[in-house]
């Protein structure tokens, strides 16, 4: 019996403009390989629960699915894990581990202010501990954060389902729940969740390195997060990445 879990939501839903299964197939292939190699279970949610307004909220059920595991990773279906990435479960202890999301500070600032004014008036978010919710690693004792976020969702369901002020869905609320409940948030280096790779030129390669045209993100990152740009580009980028690296996952 495996003691660690990777949990992913990959739902095709009529509220989404694009079929997630088009690009999530590459995510799933990479995580399947990594989980088998590192003796972890992979749980993929493909059916939407009608009690949730949007597919992303199905993520909150990890508090039930993960309750018998020692350590859990919650990953979005627009991520791919490098074939030889180390076993992160051996590197984390207690607490909640993530990568500081500073890819778009204006977006973060607006999101924190909008959600904060509405639901957490007077609470000052520590932006240095604000983490991207698309890749989160934690131990069993910290799993309750998703239970608290789920309770929060159902308590404010109508408002959240009709939210029109921008600032994403669950990420900022997740961070508010983390910080207002004093969870132990530990920052990981960006290689464990490379977001907005186009902004940091990680899709480029070292043109001085002879014939090696391997993009920087593949060379130096462990988890590649294809986000922060137009969603219609995501399929091509993930497909091309898979074509470039597929032989390594064999």
């Amino acid at each position: 019996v495996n003691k660690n879990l990777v949990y992913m939501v990959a739902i095709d839903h009529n509220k989404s403009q694009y079929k997630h299964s088009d690009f999530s197939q590459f995510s799933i292939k990479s995580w399947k390989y990594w989980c088998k190699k590192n003796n972890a279970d992979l749980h993929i949610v493909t059916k939407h629960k009608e009690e949730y307004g949007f597919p992303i909220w199905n993520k909150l059920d990890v508090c039930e699915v993960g309750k018998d595991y020692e350590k859990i990773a919650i990953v979005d279906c627009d991520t791919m894990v490098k074939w030889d990435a180390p076993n992160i479960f051996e590197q984390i202890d207690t607490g909640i581990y993530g990568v500081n999301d500073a890819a778009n500070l204006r977006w973060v600032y607006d999101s924190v202010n909008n959600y904060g004014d509405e639901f957490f008036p007077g609470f000052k978010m520590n932006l240095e501990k604000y983490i991207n919710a698309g890749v989160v690693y934690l131990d069993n004792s910290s799993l309750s954060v998703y239970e608290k976020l789920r309770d929060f969702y159902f308590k404010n369901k109508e408002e959240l389902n009709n939210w029109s002020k921008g600032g994403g869905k669950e990420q900022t609320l997740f961070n508010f729940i983390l910080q207002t409940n004093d969870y132990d948030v530990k920052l990981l280096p960006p290689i464990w969740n490379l977001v907005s790779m186009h902004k940091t030129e990680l899709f480029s390669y070292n043109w001085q390195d002879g014939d090696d045209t391997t993009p920087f993100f593949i060379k130096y990152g462990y988890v590649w997060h294809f986000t922060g740009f137009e969603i219609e580009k995501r399929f091509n980028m993930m497909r091309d990445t898979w074509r470039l690296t597929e032989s390594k996952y064999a």
Side-chain angles (χ1 to χ4, degrees):
V1 177
N2 292 328
K3 58 183 196 260
N4 301 319
L5 171 75
V6 173
Y7 181 94
M8 178 194 294
V9 173
I11 293 171
D12 282 335
H13 191 262
N14 56 14
K15 278 196 175 161
S16 308
Q17 196 184 345
Y18 294 89
K19 277 178 72 179
H20 283 176
S21 55
D22 286 347
F23 57 81
S24 67
Q25 57 173 313
F26 308 114
S27 176
I28 290 165
K29 284 173 182 173
S30 73
W31 283 105
K32 257 188 186 158
Y33 175 88
W34 187 90
C35 285
K36 191 176 177 190
K37 187 178 172 186
N38 293 288
N39 299 318
D41 287 342
L42 177 62
H43 183 92
I44 304 160
V45 182
T46 55
K47 278 200 170 69
H48 177 63
K49 268 194 185 172
E50 288 309 320
E51 65 200 69
Y52 293 119
F54 290 89
I56 191 70
W57 295 109
N58 290 267
K59 187 187 279 194
L60 309 184
D61 287 344
V62 69
C63 63
E64 287 173 14
V65 177
K67 66 180 189 296
D68 294 327
Y69 291 89
E70 285 179 20
K71 291 170 184 172
I72 303 102
I74 299 94
V75 301
D76 281 357
C77 65
D78 58 358
T79 62
M80 291 174 71
V81 61
K82 191 176 183 181
W83 61 92
D84 62 354
N87 187 347
I88 184 70
F89 296 121
E90 289 174 355
Q91 298 187 19
I92 66 169
D93 193 28
T94 56
I96 294 173
Y97 295 73
V99 170
N100 180 230
D101 196 335
N104 185 340
L105 286 175
R106 175 181 285 281
W107 183 93
V108 170
Y109 182 77
D110 289 345
S111 179
V112 165
N113 282 342
N114 287 338
Y115 278 116
D117 291 348
E118 188 71 39
F119 298 109
F120 303 92
F123 182 82
K124 186 154 174 43
M125 172 83 75
N126 177 359
L127 292 181
E128 286 179 13
K129 286 284 183 90
Y130 180 97
I131 60 173
N132 180 276
V135 182
V136 175
Y137 313 94
L138 43 73
D139 71 308
N140 184 283
S141 64
S142 307
L143 197 56
S144 58
V145 65
Y146 286 96
E147 209 169 340
K148 287 186 168 70
L149 184 53
R150 189 165 69 167
D151 291 345
F152 178 89
Y153 170 77
F154 285 122
K155 190 176 148 199
N156 302 284
K157 183 175 175 179
E158 191 149 334
E159 202 172 341
L160 292 175
N161 285 352
N162 297 296
W163 186 257
S164 60
K165 296 177 187 174
K169 296 272 186 293
E170 94 291 11
Q171 174 164 297
T172 294
L173 292 170
F174 174 70
N175 277 280
F176 269 117
I177 299 291
L178 282 176
Q179 294 195 19
T180 54
N181 289 281
D182 284 327
Y183 278 95
D184 187 11
V185 177
K186 295 171 178 172
L187 296 179
L188 288 169
I191 50 172
W192 283 106
N193 179 12
L194 285 178
V195 292
S196 294
M197 295 187 278
H198 59 301
K199 286 186 179 173
T200 43
E201 297 194 13
L202 288 170
F203 290 127
S204 310
Y205 61 89
N206 185 354
W207 54 271
Q208 295 168 305
D209 201 9
D211 298 327
D212 188 0
T213 58
T214 309
F216 292 132
F217 76 95
I218 292 176
K219 269 188 172 174
Y220 303 118
Y222 291 146
V223 176
W224 315 318
H225 199 164
F226 296 85
T227 185
F229 45 80
E230 301 81 8
I231 193 168
E232 53 268 28
K233 290 182 180 169
R234 189 179 285 163
F235 167 74
N236 287 344
M237 287 174 139
M238 293 181 73
R239 180 201 58 199
D240 293 348
T241 301
W242 180 252
R243 283 177 177 169
L244 200 59
T245 60
E246 185 177 2
S247 62
K248 306 283 191 186
Y249 295 90

